[in-house]
Structure formats: structure tokens, C-alpha cells
Amino acid sequence: MTPDAHLVAHLVGSTGLTALEAARVIEDVVAFHAESLEVYVRRRHAELRLTGLHNPEVFATVASELEHRVVAAPRLSPRQLRRIVHG
């Protein structure tokens, strides 16, 4: 993936990064947000369970996080989240 030249130029002008650094930042951000909804939910479920949270708290946390993603996911109920994690 080659970042949009206008976006690279904007970051260079607004941050002082070099063009190569700006392109790398853009690629990293795009890769971070390219994770599918299902992969994100499963990954966050596993991470939060490792902290000792129980499923009701985990699903509430994940639902809240999904509302604040750059491209917001549809609002999912705890039942829908559970089905993603457990099938």
C-alpha cells in the first residue's frame, strides 16, 4: 500500500516528519484499523479476560471501544459479541 501523496505532504507540513517517516506512520495507522470487527472483538476479549475481567465487563468494555473506532462498527449487543467470541 502506498499512502496518498497529499496525506503524506500534509503530515510532513504539519509535523516536521520526513516524507518516509510520514508514510510509515500512515501505513501503521491504516494497518491498525484494518483489523476486521470479528478479529478485533476476539483479540480484545482475550486481552481483557487475561486482566481478570469477567465476560459482562469485557463485553461492556468492547462495546464501548467499538463506538470510538475511527470507522465506527455497528452497535452490537452483548449477545452478538458473545456469538463472535464463542461461535
Side-chain angles (χ1 to χ4, degrees):
M1 176 216 131
T2 303
D4 179 76
H6 290 88
L7 181 55
V8 171
H10 174 76
L11 282 180
V12 167
S14 67
T15 65
L17 295 172
T18 69
L20 287 175
E21 292 168 331
R24 176 58 195 243
V25 168
I26 293 166
E27 290 168 358
D28 286 348
V29 170
V30 169
F32 178 82
H33 288 288
E35 189 174 46
S36 73
L37 174 67
E38 290 80 9
V39 170
Y40 178 83
V41 168
R42 288 184 188 110
R43 178 178 60 78
R44 287 299 291 146
H45 176 267
E47 291 170 353
L48 293 168
R49 290 288 293 168
L50 287 174
T51 68
L53 292 178
H54 297 285
N55 278 341
E57 294 99 1
V58 169
F59 294 135
T61 299
V62 172
S64 174
E65 290 174 354
L66 289 173
E67 291 179 8
H68 301 288
R69 301 229 345 139
V70 172
V71 178
R75 189 174 298 249
L76 299 175
S77 70
R79 181 174 186 231
Q80 290 170 308
L81 292 168
R82 221 177 0 264
R83 292 184 82 185
I84 289 172
V85 172
H86 300 294

